[in-house]
């Protein structure tokens, strides 16, 4: 039995377990199982791998996408090392581990397809990236590769970001693509959302939420109420999951974004 799974803390619900379990049935993939491994501390990773030598791959979620890096044997140059975050781990036959980032692929592909359907391209916009965690690192790298200027908005000001309180009408008017990379609004805390000045959102805005549950978050609702076009993160999740499966099941050790 080949085993795959998800590590993070806490794991209150999981898109990945449902997605891969359904995939195994739908595609007739035999002798495979996907489980959840709630991990209060990353020091437990080594014990998990020893306890389950049949593990072939792991997904990584909040809050470990950046913190996991020192616990891995290797990083994929083209994705995880460049981005500085890992959401996919391949476990080789000798027990060694290698980190990849498929969030980049899922985000870039899904937002490009969405914008294209609207007759637009990311490079024609300036973006606001809400949040500065592990998911944001993949988003920022993808935007850079798509030649899209962006400003990071975070709760704490830094040399590379501004705070939510600094968002003015002028900034909102000049940054028409707004991407939420925070978990705010995720079930069951659906009453939360990033604290941006929604009154300055217009029909020219595009709001992309990496959150997929609920289907329409409060962030999206607030934007739609102002006439903005909105999109959730389900397609991104599906695309990054399929890319992770390709990595786990490929005989090639290298993978390039």
């Amino acid at each position: 039995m080949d085993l795959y799974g998800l590590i993070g803390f806490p794991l209150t619900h999981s898109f990945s377990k449902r997605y891969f379990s359904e995939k195994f049935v739908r595609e007739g993939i035999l002798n495979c199982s996907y489980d959840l491994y709630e991990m209060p501390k990353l020091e437990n990773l080594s014990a998990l791998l020893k306890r389950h030598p049949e593990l072939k791959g792991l997904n990584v979620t909040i809050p470990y996408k950046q913190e996991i890096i020192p616990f891995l044997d290797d990083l994929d140059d083209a994705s995880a090392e460049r981005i500085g975050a890992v959401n996919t781990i391949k476990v080789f036959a000798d027990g060694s581990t290698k980190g990849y980032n498929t969030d980049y692929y899922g985000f870039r592909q899904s937002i490009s397809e969405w914008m294209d359907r609207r007759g637009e391209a990311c490079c024609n916009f300036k973006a606001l990236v809400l949040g500065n965690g592990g998911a944001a690192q993949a988003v920022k790298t993808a935007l850079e590769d798509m030649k899209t200027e962006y400003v990071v908005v975070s709760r704490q000001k830094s040399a590379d970001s501004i705070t939510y309180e600094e968002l003015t009408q002028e900034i909102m008017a000049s940054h028409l693509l707004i991407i939420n990379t925070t978990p705010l609004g995720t079930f069951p805390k659906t009453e939360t959302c990033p604290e941006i000045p929604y009154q300055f959102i217009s029909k020219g805005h595009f709001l992309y939420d990496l959150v997929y549950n609920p289907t329409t978050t409060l962030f999206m609702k607030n934007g739609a109420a102002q006439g903005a076009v909105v999109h959730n993160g389900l397609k991104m999740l599906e695309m990054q999951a399929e890319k992770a499966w390709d990595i786990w099941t490929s005989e090639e050790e290298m993978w390039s974004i």
Side-chain angles (χ1 to χ4, degrees), residues 107 127 129 139-148 150 177 179:
F107 172 73
V129 178
V139 168
K140 291 188 294 183
T141 304
L143 291 175
E144 290 166 8
D145 289 350
M146 291 187 287
K147 311 301 182 186
T148 304
Y150 65 85
L177 176 59
I179 303 156

Side-chain angles (χ1 to χ4, degrees), residues 208-223:
Y208 186 108
D209 200 336
L210 266 62
V211 175
Y212 71 94
N213 183 16
T215 303
T216 305
T217 62
L218 185 56
F219 169 73
M220 295 167 62
K221 290 178 181 177
N222 289 342

